[in-house]
Amino acid sequence: MKKLAIASTLALGLAACATPSGEAENALPDFEGEALRAMEAFDATGMAAAVTVDGEVVFQAAYGKADEGTDAPLTEDMLLPVASISKAFTTTALAILVDRGLVDWDAPVRTYIPEFAMYDPWVSEHFTVRDALTHRSGLPLGAGDLLFWPDSYSTAGDIIAALPHLRPSTEFRAAYAYDNLLYIVAGEIVARASGESWADFVREEIFEPVGLEECATDYTRMREDQTLMTGHERAPGEEEGVPVDERTLFKPEHAAAGGIVCPASDMMIWAQFWLDGAETKDGERIISEKQASELWTGVTPKRSGGSFNAGASHMQLYALGWNITDFEGTLMVSHSGGAPGVTSNFILLPEKNIGIFASSNDYRGTASTFTTQIADDLLGGRQFDYIAASGERFAKSIAEAQAALAGAVSPPADAAAPSLPLAAYTGVYRDAWYGDVTISLKDGKLFIDMSRSEILDGSLSHYDGDRFVAFWPDRSLKADAFVTFTEEGGKITRIAMEAVSDITDFSYDFHDLDLVRVD
């Protein structure tokens, strides 16, 4: 592993002190040691983290590099993309509007967005604000995320127009499947109900009263004197990450689902706000006790049994922008976040007055593994080595991804030739929710242009018969895709796509596309 540069560490009271439960006199965990172990396990580029216990920040640090290829350290004052942790800010904004009588959790979305529709007309009519926030829409995991991932300037209007064309995979309200598009819709509800943009409302009604002076609703709203942590991706097997393409940064139009950027210090203020019962440090309530309780009331069951966190948790529910979990016998309220090149994790243990946050500038499990390990260390119950267990799973997944990609690079020994001349595959293919994908010939090879993305454009390599592989020029994306053409009566009529490897992020939902030839 690369040598880690320690930017700074604030570790208060690491000598003997009372545990959060007050049951015994014990030292706080070795926060720095656990951070470095987590980074070692995932070969991380850098990580920033902070912990608050009983109203005091007992640890705050930044480790590693801000940018691969440089010696610049990751520093504590850098803004960190918290990604989907932003969803709790969106639900808090809605809670403020509920308190003001401008929004009702159980009112149809059409009350605020008349043109809103889903695939089924009955669902369209009965789909509520609560449904938009709790991942029970019936849509498959990450449905439609290619409208904004990895890069796109789709507007909220584009996303609302696309929703009726996304086919459900389960019955409405029958199962949990994480989505992002409906949180972008939720941000639009905030805007229409309040009369100002989601970004302005969150800044004025949440950031300012809570004291989040350094946070910004998206990277375009940062001050000139602030620096954003650079995310990194790497192809399986590569030793060093590659800074992500700036075009992959969350656009303002999508920020309600995952665009907020904050330093770890402000995330500790946000943690204490919730640990203090949704009151600011001045004792101000920006949402009522009733609405604070509503946000933490579980709605959609996620999973049960002992598989999550090696048996430490047996039930998980998704509430309004928060995960609600039993963890080692205590309540855990949490959310993770992932954006291209960055992962973040935020944990609250309200019964113990503990808040934990971490963000890593690699798209790996470093942050969530560290926060889970610290939660275990502070509770002192199981004393399970989450870092070692997660590191082993990660190494296995990388090996499997390398094997899958190697198989895609090397076509089968008995691969069949394309059924038609390459020119017959060229044309425009259209999906109802995504739009157009164009296949052309360049230098004797097929070329795919995903119209909504500048990054997902590249040549196609023949694999077998009418199946090709899109090897995207940015190898760090880990999103290479099979492109399979359908031939009918001597003419190519449609395209299906699917990711080559299971390591590909679910937001590359190529498999949801049904591309029909239109020219």
Side-chain angles (χ1 to χ4, degrees):
M1 178 177 172
K2 303 172 292 295
K3 184 177 180 181
L4 301 175
I6 300 176
S8 62
T9 301
L10 172 63
L12 305 177
L14 292 181
C17 66
T19 63
S21 63
E23 295 175 354
E25 295 291 318
N26 293 312
L28 288 173
D30 179 5
F31 296 115
E32 180 172 301
E34 300 288 48
L36 296 178
R37 277 208 312 131
M39 294 186 68
E40 181 78 34
F42 291 89
D43 192 21
T45 298
M47 184 176 74
V51 181
T52 182
V53 177
D54 288 335
E56 184 176 31
V57 177
V58 296
F59 174 74
Q60 186 173 307
Y63 302 94
K65 295 181 179 179
D67 271 303
E68 284 287 5
T70 76
D71 293 325
L74 185 66
T75 59
E76 291 179 36
D77 60 346
M78 286 183 173
L79 271 62
L80 315 167
V82 303
S84 284
I85 298 171
S86 304
K87 289 178 168 66
F89 290 85
T90 296
T91 58
T92 303
L94 287 166
I96 294 170
L97 295 170
V98 171
D99 275 333
R100 295 175 183 175
L102 298 174
V103 170
D104 186 320
W105 297 119
D106 296 307
V109 171
R110 282 182 169 178
T111 306
Y112 315 101
I113 305 177
E115 71 272 27
F116 174 85
M118 299 293 282
Y119 185 77
D120 180 273
W122 188 92
V123 173
S124 301
E125 183 178 349
H126 293 85
F127 200 97
T128 66
V129 176
R130 193 184 304 274
D131 292 322
L133 305 172
T134 50
H135 307 304
R136 59 179 185 175
S137 67
L139 294 177
L141 173 66
D145 279 2
L146 282 172
L147 290 168
F148 74 91
W149 186 286
D151 64 312
S152 173
Y153 286 89
S154 300
T155 65
D158 293 333
I159 287 165
I160 292 167
L163 283 171
H165 303 289
L166 286 164
R167 293 175 177 266
S169 57
T170 67
E171 294 295 323
F172 178 43
R173 297 177 182 159
Y176 173 88
Y178 192 83
D179 72 74
N180 288 297
L181 297 193
L182 290 165
Y183 265 84
I184 297 172
V185 173
E188 184 67 7
I189 295 173
V190 171
R192 297 198 190 188
S194 70
E196 57 183 321
S197 70
W198 171 89
D200 286 343
F201 189 87
V202 168
R203 178 178 54 80
E204 296 166 5
E205 302 289 348
I206 302 176
F207 287 0
E208 290 179 3
V210 175
L212 307 178
E213 297 180 357
E214 301 301 312
C215 292
T217 52
D218 66 82
Y219 76 99
T220 68
R221 291 183 173 233
M222 293 169 50
R223 301 192 310 267
E224 290 186 3
D225 64 326
Q226 293 178 310
T227 303
L228 182 67
M229 179 175 75
T230 301
H232 294 77
E233 295 277 8
R234 69 182 89 178
E238 292 296 321
E239 292 187 1
E240 292 189 344
V242 177
V244 296
D245 191 314
E246 290 187 359
R247 292 173 293 182
T248 65
L249 295 175
F250 260 85
K251 308 302 185 295
E253 296 85 354
H254 315 137
I260 289 174
V261 294
C262 290
S265 56
D266 272 22
M267 291 305 293
M268 290 295 92
I269 296 172
W270 182 236
Q272 201 58 54
F273 167 77
W274 287 104
L275 294 171
D276 288 341
E279 288 188 4
T280 71
K281 60 185 177 181
D282 297 325
E284 178 186 354
R285 298 205 68 91
I286 64 170
I287 58 174
S288 64
E289 289 185 42
K290 178 181 178 181
Q291 298 313 321
S293 176
E294 193 79 39
L295 295 185
W296 282 9
T297 298
V299 175
T300 308
K302 294 180 65 176
R303 67 181 74 146
S304 60
S307 60
F308 175 63
N309 282 342
S313 301
H314 296 88
M315 184 170 291
Q316 294 184 80
L317 299 169
Y318 198 88
L320 303 183
W322 297 93
N323 290 298
I324 309 298
T325 310
D326 69 301
F327 181 76
E328 300 186 6
T330 192
L331 173 66
M332 175 185 282
V333 183
S334 66
H335 213 290
S336 60
V342 175
T343 56
S344 297
N345 195 256
F346 187 60
I347 288 176
L348 299 174
L349 303 172
E351 295 167 344
K352 305 296 184 181
N353 202 12
I354 294 170
I356 311 165
F357 171 76
S359 184
S360 172
N361 58 351
D362 282 288
Y363 199 76
R364 297 181 166 209
T366 315
S368 59
T369 299
F370 170 77
T371 56
T372 303
Q373 186 69 64
I374 293 303
D376 173 76
D377 291 348
L378 285 168
L379 293 174
R382 299 180 75 246
Q383 299 182 333
F384 183 81
D385 194 341
Y386 292 99
I387 293 174
S390 297
E392 289 175 7
R393 288 196 298 271
F394 170 71
K396 181 180 179 182
S397 70
I398 289 294
E400 291 173 349
Q402 286 180 268
L405 291 173
V409 171
S410 304
D414 58 350
S419 59
L420 298 171
L422 292 184
Y425 297 80
T426 63
V428 178
Y429 299 78
R430 182 168 298 154
D431 176 86
W433 63 264
Y434 180 80
D436 292 351
V437 170
T438 301
I439 305 295
S440 59
L441 263 177
K442 293 186 178 182
D443 300 322
K445 294 190 70 174
L446 293 179
F447 186 90
I448 185 169
D449 180 349
M450 305 286 291
S451 62
R452 290 189 180 273
S453 171
E454 296 176 358
I455 294 173
L456 298 180
D457 295 335
S459 61
L460 297 181
S461 298
H462 181 249
Y463 185 75
D464 185 14
D466 289 334
R467 172 172 270 201
F468 294 75
V469 183
F471 293 113
W472 310 117
D474 186 343
R475 306 304 303 138
S476 69
L477 296 177
K478 302 183 290 294
D480 296 333
F482 285 118
V483 180
T484 303
F485 295 85
T486 298
E487 181 267 330
E488 296 177 300
K491 181 177 176 65
I492 301 298
T493 58
R494 63 197 324 128
I495 294 173
M497 296 179 67
E498 61 178 317
V500 167
S501 169
D502 288 342
I503 203 172
T504 298
D505 188 272
F506 67 79
S507 286
Y508 291 98
D509 60 322
F510 301 118
H511 50 277
D512 290 328
L513 296 171
D514 181 18
L515 293 156
V516 179
R517 188 169 190 150
V518 294
D519 71 344

